[in-house]
Amino acid sequence: MAINVEKIAGILQNFVNSASDVQGAALVTPDGLPLASTLPSAMDEERVSAMSAAMLSLGERIGSELARGTIERLFVEGQQGYGVLTSCGEDAVFLVLASQRAKQGVLMLEIKRAISELKLALG
């Protein structure tokens, strides 16, 4: 079954436009290839995709070693905002970039809703 990249790109664009303080989003394969993205223009889609997949993979190994169970998400907080990596089934990793103003609870709820839509689009 082929992945409908246009539909996924539309979901990402809608998510970025409607979610509070979200600056960008990307859906990448677990091996680091970009499926679709709506990232700030200064970011390299391929580089961000590769780093996102590597970070989620490392997070999963750390979670296993620390006996924390299956990792649901990784959260990076910096001076300019947040990066949230969430597994989107076995076939994809969802990256969200949000500003420092983002309310974390609301952001996590919006991410869960987007993941539901993305999983349907992935089949």
Side-chain angles (χ1 to χ4, degrees):
M1 179 179 205
I3 295 174
N4 187 339
V5 176
E6 288 180 18
K7 184 172 184 173
I8 291 170
I11 293 168
L12 293 180
Q13 187 65 51
N14 186 47
F15 173 74
V16 170
N17 290 339
S18 64
S20 303
D21 297 310
V22 169
Q23 299 167 320
L27 193 67
V28 304
T29 65
D31 55 345
L33 299 173
L35 292 172
S37 71
T38 304
L39 295 171
S41 60
M43 291 189 178
D44 181 338
E45 177 186 51
E46 290 181 4
R47 186 179 188 140
V48 168
S49 297
M51 288 188 297
S52 297
M55 192 169 152
L56 189 61
S57 176
L58 181 59
E60 288 172 345
R61 287 189 300 219
I62 291 169
S64 176
E65 288 296 318
L66 298 176
R68 299 296 94 192
T70 303
I71 299 298
E72 291 185 27
R73 77 182 53 88
L74 294 173
F75 190 82
V76 178
E77 182 177 359
Q79 292 176 338
Q80 305 303 316
Y82 307 105
V84 182
L85 289 163
T86 309
S87 178
C88 189
E90 293 182 17
D91 299 324
V93 177
F94 185 42
L95 167 68
V96 175
L97 303 173
S99 74
Q100 193 68 23
R101 295 182 313 271
K103 293 183 171 114
Q104 293 178 25
V106 173
L107 180 62
M108 295 309 154
L109 180 61
E110 291 171 336
I111 289 171
K112 278 186 178 183
R113 288 180 183 157
I115 286 176
S116 294
E117 273 188 79
L118 289 166
K119 283 182 176 179
L120 286 174
L122 288 168

